[in-house]
Amino acid sequence: MGQQETVATSLADTVREGIGAALAQVDADLARRYPGDPGTRQPIHTVYVPGDAFAAGTLRSWGDQALAMLDEHAPDAAALAGVLGLSDELAGPVYERVRAKLEREPVEDLRIDFEDGYGLRSDAEEDETAARAAALVAAAYRDGTAAPYMGIRMKCMEAAVRDRGIRTLDIFLTGLMEAGGLPDGLVLTLPKVTYAEQVTAMVRLLEAFEKARGLAPGRIGFEIQIETTQAILGADGRATVARMIEAAEGRATSLHYGTFDYSASCGVSAAYQASDHPAADHAKAVMQVAAAGTGVRLSDGSTNVLPVGPTAQVHEAWKLHHGLTRRALARAYYQGWDMHPGHLPTRYAAVYAFYREGLEKAAARLAAYVAKAGGDVMDEPATAKALSAYLLRGLDCGAVDTAEVARLTGLTRTDLDGLAGRGVVSA
Protein backbone atom coordinates (compact mmCIF):
# COMPACT_ATOMS: atom_id res chain seq x y z
CA MET A 1 0.00 0.00 0.00
CA GLY A 2 2.90 2.34 0.72
CA GLN A 3 4.50 1.81 -2.68
CA GLN A 4 3.68 4.12 -5.58
CA GLU A 5 2.24 2.26 -8.54
CA THR A 6 4.08 2.52 -11.83
CA VAL A 7 2.06 3.88 -14.76
CA ALA A 8 2.89 3.40 -18.40
CA THR A 9 3.98 6.33 -20.61
CA SER A 10 5.12 6.53 -24.23
CA LEU A 11 6.99 9.83 -24.45
CA ALA A 12 10.64 10.25 -23.60
CA ASP A 13 11.65 12.96 -21.10
CA THR A 14 13.39 14.76 -23.94
CA VAL A 15 9.99 15.54 -25.52
CA ARG A 16 8.82 17.36 -22.41
CA GLU A 17 12.14 19.09 -22.02
CA GLY A 18 12.12 20.20 -25.64
CA ILE A 19 8.65 21.69 -25.35
CA GLY A 20 9.69 23.50 -22.19
CA ALA A 21 12.72 24.96 -23.95
CA ALA A 22 10.64 25.99 -26.96
CA LEU A 23 8.13 27.81 -24.76
CA ALA A 24 10.60 29.41 -22.35
CA GLN A 25 10.45 32.75 -24.15
CA VAL A 26 6.65 32.61 -24.20
CA ASP A 27 6.62 31.91 -20.45
CA ALA A 28 8.85 34.92 -19.82
CA ASP A 29 6.76 37.11 -22.12
CA LEU A 30 3.53 36.14 -20.36
CA ALA A 31 5.03 36.92 -16.97
CA ARG A 32 6.28 40.31 -18.16
CA ARG A 33 3.19 41.44 -20.04
CA TYR A 34 0.52 40.02 -17.75
CA PRO A 35 1.70 40.30 -14.12
CA GLY A 36 -1.87 40.53 -12.79
CA ASP A 37 -3.33 42.88 -10.21
CA PRO A 38 -0.76 45.19 -8.61
CA GLY A 39 -2.24 44.54 -5.17
CA THR A 40 -2.80 48.19 -4.31
CA ARG A 41 -5.97 50.08 -3.53
CA GLN A 42 -7.74 51.53 -6.56
CA PRO A 43 -9.61 54.79 -5.88
CA ILE A 44 -13.28 54.72 -6.84
CA HIS A 45 -13.09 58.12 -8.50
CA THR A 46 -10.83 60.94 -9.63
CA VAL A 47 -11.76 64.53 -8.87
CA TYR A 48 -10.43 67.12 -11.32
CA VAL A 49 -9.79 70.65 -10.05
CA PRO A 50 -8.28 73.41 -12.25
CA GLY A 51 -4.75 74.33 -11.21
CA ASP A 52 -5.66 77.92 -10.37
CA ALA A 53 -8.65 76.80 -8.27
CA PHE A 54 -6.78 74.28 -6.13
CA ALA A 55 -6.10 75.43 -2.59
CA ALA A 56 -5.12 73.97 0.77
CA GLY A 57 -8.77 73.60 1.76
CA THR A 58 -10.08 72.16 -1.51
CA LEU A 59 -10.59 68.59 -0.29
CA ARG A 60 -12.38 69.62 2.89
CA SER A 61 -14.43 72.15 0.93
CA TRP A 62 -15.67 69.46 -1.46
CA GLY A 63 -16.71 67.29 1.46
CA ASP A 64 -18.48 70.14 3.24
CA GLN A 65 -20.31 71.17 0.07
CA ALA A 66 -21.43 67.59 -0.53
CA LEU A 67 -22.69 67.29 3.05
CA ALA A 68 -24.56 70.57 2.72
CA MET A 69 -26.23 69.28 -0.46
CA LEU A 70 -27.37 66.18 1.38
CA ASP A 71 -28.74 68.32 4.19
CA GLU A 72 -30.69 70.42 1.71
CA HIS A 73 -31.83 67.88 -0.86
CA ALA A 74 -31.79 64.50 0.97
CA PRO A 75 -31.67 65.13 4.73
CA ASP A 76 -32.20 61.51 5.76
CA ALA A 77 -31.80 57.95 4.53
CA ALA A 78 -35.38 57.64 3.32
CA ALA A 79 -35.09 60.80 1.23
CA LEU A 80 -31.93 59.66 -0.56
CA ALA A 81 -33.28 56.15 -1.01
CA GLY A 82 -36.41 57.57 -2.58
CA VAL A 83 -34.38 59.54 -5.12
CA LEU A 84 -32.01 56.72 -6.03
CA GLY A 85 -34.34 53.76 -5.67
CA LEU A 86 -32.43 52.09 -2.84
CA SER A 87 -34.14 49.30 -0.91
CA ASP A 88 -35.24 49.82 2.68
CA GLU A 89 -32.57 47.34 3.77
CA LEU A 90 -29.79 49.34 2.10
CA ALA A 91 -31.06 52.84 2.78
CA GLY A 92 -29.80 53.27 6.34
CA PRO A 93 -26.37 51.64 6.06
CA VAL A 94 -25.62 53.37 2.75
CA TYR A 95 -26.69 56.81 3.93
CA GLU A 96 -24.73 56.53 7.18
CA ARG A 97 -21.60 55.40 5.37
CA VAL A 98 -21.90 58.12 2.73
CA ARG A 99 -22.04 60.83 5.38
CA ALA A 100 -19.18 59.28 7.32
CA LYS A 101 -17.08 59.08 4.17
CA LEU A 102 -17.73 62.73 3.29
CA GLU A 103 -16.65 63.73 6.78
CA ARG A 104 -13.58 61.48 6.91
CA GLU A 105 -12.25 61.18 3.35
CA PRO A 106 -14.39 63.04 0.80
CA VAL A 107 -11.95 62.58 -2.11
CA GLU A 108 -9.97 59.43 -2.83
CA ASP A 109 -8.01 60.70 -5.82
CA LEU A 110 -7.39 64.34 -6.78
CA ARG A 111 -5.96 65.56 -10.05
CA ILE A 112 -4.82 69.18 -10.27
CA ASP A 113 -5.59 70.04 -13.87
CA PHE A 114 -3.26 71.95 -16.16
CA GLU A 115 -5.01 70.81 -19.33
CA ASP A 116 -8.60 71.53 -20.44
CA GLY A 117 -9.71 72.66 -16.99
CA TYR A 118 -6.86 75.16 -16.81
CA GLY A 119 -6.43 76.24 -20.41
CA LEU A 120 -3.70 78.37 -21.97
CA ARG A 121 -2.07 80.92 -19.68
CA SER A 122 1.14 82.91 -19.79
CA ASP A 123 4.28 80.92 -19.03
CA ALA A 124 4.88 82.95 -15.90
CA GLU A 125 1.38 82.22 -14.59
CA GLU A 126 1.54 78.48 -15.26
CA ASP A 127 5.03 78.31 -13.75
CA GLU A 128 3.75 79.91 -10.57
CA THR A 129 0.64 77.71 -10.44
CA ALA A 130 2.67 74.51 -10.91
CA ALA A 131 5.11 75.48 -8.16
CA ARG A 132 2.24 76.36 -5.83
CA ALA A 133 0.53 73.03 -6.57
CA ALA A 134 3.69 71.15 -5.59
CA ALA A 135 3.98 73.08 -2.35
CA LEU A 136 0.33 72.47 -1.46
CA VAL A 137 0.48 68.75 -2.25
CA ALA A 138 3.69 68.32 -0.24
CA ALA A 139 2.15 70.19 2.71
CA ALA A 140 -1.03 68.07 2.54
CA TYR A 141 0.96 64.84 2.78
CA ARG A 142 3.00 66.24 5.65
CA ASP A 143 0.02 67.31 7.73
CA GLY A 144 -2.21 64.32 6.94
CA THR A 145 -4.87 66.20 4.95
CA ALA A 146 -3.98 64.71 1.56
CA ALA A 147 -6.21 62.40 -0.42
CA PRO A 148 -4.84 58.85 -0.74
CA TYR A 149 -3.83 59.74 -4.30
CA MET A 150 -2.92 63.17 -5.68
CA GLY A 151 -1.11 64.57 -8.70
CA ILE A 152 -1.47 66.64 -11.85
CA ARG A 153 -2.78 66.30 -15.38
CA MET A 154 -0.23 67.99 -17.60
CA LYS A 155 -0.77 69.20 -21.14
CA CYS A 156 -0.42 66.55 -23.82
CA MET A 157 2.50 65.61 -26.07
CA GLU A 158 1.10 67.33 -29.16
CA ALA A 159 3.50 69.82 -30.72
CA ALA A 160 1.55 72.98 -29.85
CA VAL A 161 1.65 72.42 -26.06
CA ARG A 162 4.38 69.81 -25.61
CA ASP A 163 7.08 72.10 -24.23
CA ARG A 164 4.63 73.72 -21.84
CA GLY A 165 3.46 70.37 -20.53
CA ILE A 166 7.00 69.14 -20.00
CA ARG A 167 7.96 72.31 -18.14
CA THR A 168 4.91 72.14 -15.87
CA LEU A 169 5.63 68.52 -15.02
CA ASP A 170 9.28 69.35 -14.29
CA ILE A 171 8.32 72.25 -12.00
CA PHE A 172 5.76 70.14 -10.14
CA LEU A 173 8.01 67.12 -9.61
CA THR A 174 11.00 69.31 -8.73
CA GLY A 175 8.89 71.16 -6.19
CA LEU A 176 7.91 67.89 -4.54
CA MET A 177 11.51 66.75 -4.41
CA GLU A 178 12.63 70.03 -2.89
CA ALA A 179 9.86 69.71 -0.29
CA GLY A 180 11.00 66.28 0.85
CA GLY A 181 10.46 63.80 -1.97
CA LEU A 182 7.73 62.21 -4.04
CA PRO A 183 4.75 61.00 -1.99
CA ASP A 184 3.66 57.38 -2.30
CA GLY A 185 0.25 58.49 -3.56
CA LEU A 186 1.63 60.53 -6.48
CA VAL A 187 -0.30 60.07 -9.74
CA LEU A 188 0.40 61.78 -13.08
CA THR A 189 -1.98 61.90 -16.03
CA LEU A 190 -0.96 62.15 -19.69
CA PRO A 191 -3.96 63.34 -21.74
CA LYS A 192 -4.97 63.14 -25.43
CA VAL A 193 -2.60 60.36 -26.40
CA THR A 194 -2.91 59.35 -30.05
CA TYR A 195 0.33 57.47 -30.82
CA ALA A 196 2.28 54.96 -28.76
CA GLU A 197 5.36 57.05 -29.46
CA GLN A 198 3.91 59.79 -27.24
CA VAL A 199 3.79 57.29 -24.39
CA THR A 200 7.40 56.37 -25.11
CA ALA A 201 8.28 60.07 -24.95
CA MET A 202 6.68 60.27 -21.49
CA VAL A 203 8.74 57.27 -20.38
CA ARG A 204 11.96 58.91 -21.58
CA LEU A 205 10.96 62.14 -19.81
CA LEU A 206 10.41 60.36 -16.50
CA GLU A 207 13.61 58.38 -16.89
CA ALA A 208 15.51 61.64 -17.33
CA PHE A 209 13.91 63.13 -14.21
CA GLU A 210 14.68 60.04 -12.14
CA LYS A 211 18.30 60.13 -13.25
CA ALA A 212 18.60 63.87 -12.60
CA ARG A 213 17.22 63.50 -9.05
CA GLY A 214 18.81 60.17 -8.13
CA LEU A 215 15.53 58.26 -7.98
CA ALA A 216 15.18 54.53 -8.53
CA PRO A 217 14.45 53.64 -12.17
CA GLY A 218 10.73 53.16 -12.70
CA ARG A 219 9.76 55.10 -9.55
CA ILE A 220 7.31 57.36 -11.41
CA GLY A 221 4.29 55.91 -13.17
CA PHE A 222 1.49 57.62 -15.06
CA GLU A 223 -2.05 57.28 -16.36
CA ILE A 224 -2.92 57.33 -20.05
CA GLN A 225 -6.08 59.15 -21.07
CA ILE A 226 -7.96 57.62 -23.98
CA GLU A 227 -9.65 60.59 -25.61
CA THR A 228 -9.09 60.12 -29.35
CA THR A 229 -10.21 57.50 -31.86
CA GLN A 230 -6.58 56.92 -32.82
CA ALA A 231 -5.94 55.67 -29.27
CA ILE A 232 -8.41 52.83 -29.85
CA LEU A 233 -7.84 51.90 -33.49
CA GLY A 234 -4.71 52.90 -35.35
CA ALA A 235 -4.27 53.64 -39.03
CA ASP A 236 -2.94 50.09 -39.46
CA GLY A 237 -6.15 48.61 -38.05
CA ARG A 238 -4.53 47.46 -34.79
CA ALA A 239 -5.69 48.28 -31.27
CA THR A 240 -3.45 51.24 -30.43
CA VAL A 241 -4.24 51.14 -26.73
CA ALA A 242 -2.52 47.75 -26.40
CA ARG A 243 0.58 49.21 -28.03
CA MET A 244 0.44 52.13 -25.58
CA ILE A 245 0.50 49.80 -22.59
CA GLU A 246 3.55 48.09 -24.05
CA ALA A 247 5.20 51.43 -24.84
CA ALA A 248 4.83 52.50 -21.20
CA GLU A 249 7.43 49.87 -20.24
CA GLY A 250 5.66 48.99 -16.99
CA ARG A 251 4.96 52.58 -15.93
CA ALA A 252 1.29 52.74 -16.99
CA THR A 253 -0.92 52.61 -13.91
CA SER A 254 -4.33 53.08 -15.54
CA LEU A 255 -6.30 53.97 -18.63
CA HIS A 256 -8.86 56.76 -18.27
CA TYR A 257 -11.69 57.14 -20.76
CA GLY A 258 -12.34 60.73 -21.79
CA THR A 259 -16.08 60.90 -22.40
CA PHE A 260 -16.44 64.18 -24.25
CA ASP A 261 -13.23 64.40 -26.26
CA TYR A 262 -13.64 60.83 -27.48
CA SER A 263 -17.33 61.26 -28.31
CA ALA A 264 -16.58 64.46 -30.21
CA SER A 265 -13.80 62.76 -32.17
CA CYS A 266 -16.37 60.15 -33.24
CA GLY A 267 -18.73 62.90 -34.43
CA VAL A 268 -21.31 62.33 -31.68
CA SER A 269 -23.60 65.35 -31.25
CA ALA A 270 -23.14 67.26 -28.02
CA ALA A 271 -26.58 66.30 -26.69
CA TYR A 272 -25.70 62.59 -26.91
CA GLN A 273 -22.15 62.65 -25.57
CA ALA A 274 -22.29 60.40 -22.52
CA SER A 275 -20.49 57.44 -20.99
CA ASP A 276 -23.32 55.07 -21.98
CA HIS A 277 -23.26 55.96 -25.70
CA PRO A 278 -22.47 52.96 -27.97
CA ALA A 279 -19.27 54.69 -29.12
CA ALA A 280 -18.16 54.89 -25.49
CA ASP A 281 -19.04 51.26 -24.84
CA HIS A 282 -16.97 50.16 -27.84
CA ALA A 283 -13.94 52.19 -26.79
CA LYS A 284 -14.10 50.96 -23.21
CA ALA A 285 -14.54 47.34 -24.29
CA VAL A 286 -11.31 47.59 -26.30
CA MET A 287 -9.55 49.26 -23.36
CA GLN A 288 -10.78 46.53 -21.02
CA VAL A 289 -9.50 43.67 -23.15
CA ALA A 290 -6.17 45.41 -23.81
CA ALA A 291 -5.59 46.03 -20.09
CA ALA A 292 -6.77 42.63 -18.80
CA GLY A 293 -4.08 40.90 -16.80
CA THR A 294 -1.51 43.65 -17.32
CA GLY A 295 -2.00 45.29 -13.91
CA VAL A 296 -3.18 48.48 -15.64
CA ARG A 297 -6.44 49.69 -14.09
CA LEU A 298 -9.43 51.23 -15.88
CA SER A 299 -11.41 54.39 -15.22
CA ASP A 300 -14.66 55.57 -16.77
CA GLY A 301 -15.16 59.23 -17.61
CA SER A 302 -17.56 61.80 -16.20
CA THR A 303 -20.98 63.30 -16.71
CA ASN A 304 -21.30 67.01 -17.47
CA VAL A 305 -24.76 67.21 -15.90
CA LEU A 306 -24.22 68.98 -12.60
CA PRO A 307 -26.52 68.65 -9.56
CA VAL A 308 -27.25 72.34 -9.14
CA GLY A 309 -30.42 74.45 -8.88
CA PRO A 310 -33.72 73.60 -7.19
CA THR A 311 -34.21 70.26 -5.46
CA ALA A 312 -36.09 68.64 -8.35
CA GLN A 313 -33.23 69.48 -10.72
CA VAL A 314 -30.62 68.21 -8.27
CA HIS A 315 -32.53 64.96 -7.89
CA GLU A 316 -32.64 64.41 -11.65
CA ALA A 317 -28.89 64.96 -11.91
CA TRP A 318 -28.32 62.61 -8.97
CA LYS A 319 -30.43 59.89 -10.61
CA LEU A 320 -28.41 60.21 -13.81
CA HIS A 321 -25.03 60.12 -12.08
CA HIS A 322 -26.06 57.26 -9.80
CA GLY A 323 -27.31 55.24 -12.77
CA LEU A 324 -24.16 55.80 -14.82
CA THR A 325 -21.98 54.86 -11.87
CA ARG A 326 -23.92 51.65 -11.23
CA ARG A 327 -23.77 50.80 -14.93
CA ALA A 328 -20.00 51.25 -14.94
CA LEU A 329 -19.56 49.07 -11.84
CA ALA A 330 -21.53 46.23 -13.42
CA ARG A 331 -19.21 46.48 -16.43
CA ALA A 332 -16.10 46.25 -14.23
CA TYR A 333 -15.20 49.93 -14.41
CA TYR A 334 -14.56 50.54 -10.73
CA GLN A 335 -13.39 54.14 -11.06
CA GLY A 336 -14.77 57.27 -12.73
CA TRP A 337 -14.40 61.04 -12.82
CA ASP A 338 -16.30 63.44 -10.60
CA MET A 339 -16.44 67.08 -11.64
CA HIS A 340 -18.56 68.70 -8.91
CA PRO A 341 -18.94 68.30 -5.11
CA GLY A 342 -22.56 67.36 -5.71
CA HIS A 343 -21.42 64.20 -7.49
CA LEU A 344 -19.82 62.82 -4.34
CA PRO A 345 -23.03 61.72 -2.55
CA THR A 346 -24.22 59.69 -5.52
CA ARG A 347 -20.76 58.32 -6.28
CA TYR A 348 -20.47 56.89 -2.79
CA ALA A 349 -24.13 55.85 -2.60
CA ALA A 350 -23.85 53.89 -5.86
CA VAL A 351 -20.57 52.25 -4.89
CA TYR A 352 -21.66 51.39 -1.35
CA ALA A 353 -24.99 49.93 -2.50
CA PHE A 354 -23.17 47.88 -5.16
CA TYR A 355 -20.90 46.23 -2.61
CA ARG A 356 -23.39 45.94 0.24
CA GLU A 357 -26.21 44.40 -1.75
CA GLY A 358 -23.96 41.59 -2.96
CA LEU A 359 -22.01 41.12 0.25
CA GLU A 360 -23.80 38.12 1.75
CA LYS A 361 -24.06 36.13 -1.49
CA ALA A 362 -20.46 36.81 -2.47
CA ALA A 363 -19.25 35.91 1.01
CA ALA A 364 -21.31 32.72 1.09
CA ARG A 365 -20.03 31.59 -2.31
CA LEU A 366 -16.44 32.29 -1.32
CA ALA A 367 -16.80 30.54 2.02
CA ALA A 368 -18.31 27.51 0.27
CA TYR A 369 -15.49 27.48 -2.26
CA VAL A 370 -12.82 27.58 0.44
CA ALA A 371 -14.61 24.87 2.44
CA LYS A 372 -15.40 22.92 -0.75
CA ALA A 373 -18.96 22.76 0.56
CA GLY A 374 -20.66 22.97 -2.80
CA GLY A 375 -24.04 24.69 -2.78
CA ASP A 376 -26.22 25.73 -5.70
CA VAL A 377 -23.30 27.29 -7.62
CA MET A 378 -20.10 25.45 -8.51
CA ASP A 379 -17.35 28.05 -8.60
CA GLU A 380 -13.90 27.74 -10.13
CA PRO A 381 -10.62 29.37 -9.01
CA ALA A 382 -11.14 32.28 -11.40
CA THR A 383 -14.53 33.00 -9.85
CA ALA A 384 -13.11 32.73 -6.34
CA LYS A 385 -10.52 35.29 -7.40
CA ALA A 386 -13.27 37.62 -8.62
CA LEU A 387 -15.32 37.12 -5.44
CA SER A 388 -12.29 37.96 -3.29
CA ALA A 389 -11.52 41.03 -5.38
CA TYR A 390 -15.13 42.17 -5.00
CA LEU A 391 -14.92 41.96 -1.21
CA LEU A 392 -11.52 43.67 -1.16
CA ARG A 393 -12.80 46.59 -3.22
CA GLY A 394 -15.71 46.94 -0.82
CA LEU A 395 -13.28 47.03 2.10
CA ASP A 396 -10.97 49.53 0.42
CA CYS A 397 -13.66 52.13 -0.21
CA GLY A 398 -15.47 51.71 3.13
CA ALA A 399 -18.63 50.04 1.82
CA VAL A 400 -18.10 47.08 4.14
CA ASP A 401 -15.81 46.49 7.10
CA THR A 402 -13.36 43.79 8.06
CA ALA A 403 -15.51 42.40 10.86
CA GLU A 404 -18.48 41.90 8.52
CA VAL A 405 -16.40 40.07 5.94
CA ALA A 406 -14.67 37.91 8.56
CA ARG A 407 -18.00 36.96 10.12
CA LEU A 408 -19.52 35.98 6.78
CA THR A 409 -16.51 34.24 5.22
CA GLY A 410 -14.30 33.17 8.11
CA LEU A 411 -11.43 34.70 6.16
CA THR A 412 -8.88 37.37 7.05
CA ARG A 413 -7.78 40.25 4.86
CA THR A 414 -4.59 38.30 4.14
CA ASP A 415 -6.67 35.30 3.05
CA LEU A 416 -8.64 37.49 0.65
CA ASP A 417 -5.47 39.01 -0.79
CA GLY A 418 -4.13 35.54 -1.46
CA LEU A 419 -7.32 34.30 -3.13
CA ALA A 420 -7.49 37.46 -5.25
CA GLY A 421 -3.94 37.01 -6.43
CA ARG A 422 -2.71 40.17 -4.77
CA GLY A 423 0.93 40.07 -3.90
CA VAL A 424 0.67 42.61 -1.06
CA VAL A 425 -1.98 43.90 1.29
CA SER A 426 -3.73 46.95 -0.18
CA ALA A 427 -2.86 50.37 1.17
Side-chain angles (χ1 to χ4, degrees), residues 82-155:
V83 175
L84 304 182
L86 301 179
S87 67
D88 291 342
E89 182 181 5
L90 285 172
V94 167
Y95 191 80
E96 291 167 7
R97 287 172 183 267
V98 168
R99 292 197 69 98
K101 180 74 168 181
L102 294 173
E103 292 167 355
R104 181 185 74 255
E105 186 184 77
V107 175
E108 293 196 356
D109 183 26
L110 177 74
R111 206 69 70 249
I112 305 164
D113 192 16
F114 287 88
E115 206 233 350
D116 286 348
Y118 184 73
L120 297 175
R121 312 290 182 97
S122 69
D123 284 340
E125 183 178 0
E126 186 157 340
D127 283 357
E128 189 278 332
T129 305
R132 184 174 64 89
L136 289 171
V137 169
Y141 277 103
R142 280 197 307 270
D143 65 23
T145 61
Y149 300 95
M150 296 180 74
I152 66 168
R153 176 168 71 171
M154 60 189 282
K155 289 179 171 62

Side-chain angles (χ1 to χ4, degrees), residues 356-367 379 387 390 408:
R356 292 203 66 80
E357 69 188 14
L359 172 61
E360 292 193 5
K361 284 187 177 180
R365 286 177 65 179
L366 188 60
D379 287 321
L387 290 166
Y390 172 84
L408 292 168

Side-chain angles (χ1 to χ4, degrees), residues 177-190:
M177 291 298 297
E178 294 295 319
L182 304 183
D184 291 338
L186 174 68
V187 186
L188 306 175
T189 305
L190 179 66

Side-chain angles (χ1 to χ4, degrees), residues 222-246:
F222 62 97
E223 302 170 333
I224 302 170
Q225 281 205 281
I226 306 301
E227 303 176 89
T228 66
T229 55
Q230 295 92 338
I232 295 297
L233 191 67
D236 58 2
R238 292 191 292 175
T240 318
V241 65
R243 294 182 58 223
M244 290 177 179
I245 293 173
E246 178 71 8

Side-chain angles (χ1 to χ4, degrees), residues 214-281:
L215 296 170
R219 165 65 180 85
I220 310 173
F222 62 97
E223 302 170 333
I224 302 170
Q225 281 205 281
I226 306 301
E227 303 176 89
T228 66
T229 55
Q230 295 92 338
I232 295 297
L233 191 67
D236 58 2
R238 292 191 292 175
T240 318
V241 65
R243 294 182 58 223
M244 290 177 179
I245 293 173
E246 178 71 8
E249 300 177 19
R251 292 178 186 264
T253 56
S254 59
L255 304 174
H256 283 233
Y257 176 68
T259 304
F260 304 103
D261 283 284
Y262 187 86
S263 297
S265 71
C266 287
V268 178
S269 299
Y272 298 97
Q273 293 176 358
S275 61
D276 58 353
H277 189 280
D281 284 342

Side-chain angles (χ1 to χ4, degrees), residues 233-426:
L233 191 67
D236 58 2
R238 292 191 292 175
T240 318
V241 65
R243 294 182 58 223
M244 290 177 179
I245 293 173
E246 178 71 8
E249 300 177 19
R251 292 178 186 264
T253 56
S254 59
L255 304 174
H256 283 233
Y257 176 68
T259 304
F260 304 103
D261 283 284
Y262 187 86
S263 297
S265 71
C266 287
V268 178
S269 299
Y272 298 97
Q273 293 176 358
S275 61
D276 58 353
H277 189 280
D281 284 342
H282 170 260
K284 288 184 285 187
V286 175
M287 291 165 60
Q288 190 170 52
V289 174
T294 65
V296 177
R297 265 77 178 265
L298 299 170
S299 176
D300 202 354
S302 62
T303 176
N304 59 357
V305 179
L306 304 183
V308 296
T311 295
Q313 188 171 321
V314 170
H315 284 181
E316 287 303 309
W318 274 354
K319 289 176 185 177
L320 174 65
H321 184 247
H322 179 266
L324 291 173
T325 302
R326 281 302 305 259
R327 185 179 190 272
L329 290 167
R331 286 159 174 76
Y333 267 73
Y334 301 111
Q335 186 176 351
W337 303 0
D338 287 326
M339 311 301 288
H340 186 274
H343 286 145
L344 299 185
T346 40
R347 170 70 61 182
Y348 289 118
V351 171
Y352 289 178
F354 177 77
Y355 289 113
R356 292 203 66 80
E357 69 188 14
L359 172 61
E360 292 193 5
K361 284 187 177 180
R365 286 177 65 179
L366 188 60
Y369 171 84
V370 172
K372 304 193 183 304
D376 60 353
V377 179
M378 183 177 293
D379 287 321
E380 297 185 353
T383 305
K385 184 176 182 179
L387 290 166
S388 301
Y390 172 84
L391 295 175
L392 285 167
R393 289 181 182 278
L395 287 168
D396 286 343
C397 70
V400 301
D401 57 54
T402 305
E404 284 181 299
V405 174
R407 175 175 57 81
L408 292 168
T409 65
L411 301 172
T412 66
R413 175 63 187 252
T414 301
D415 295 332
L416 293 175
D417 278 311
L419 287 165
R422 292 186 173 188
V424 296
V425 177
S426 298

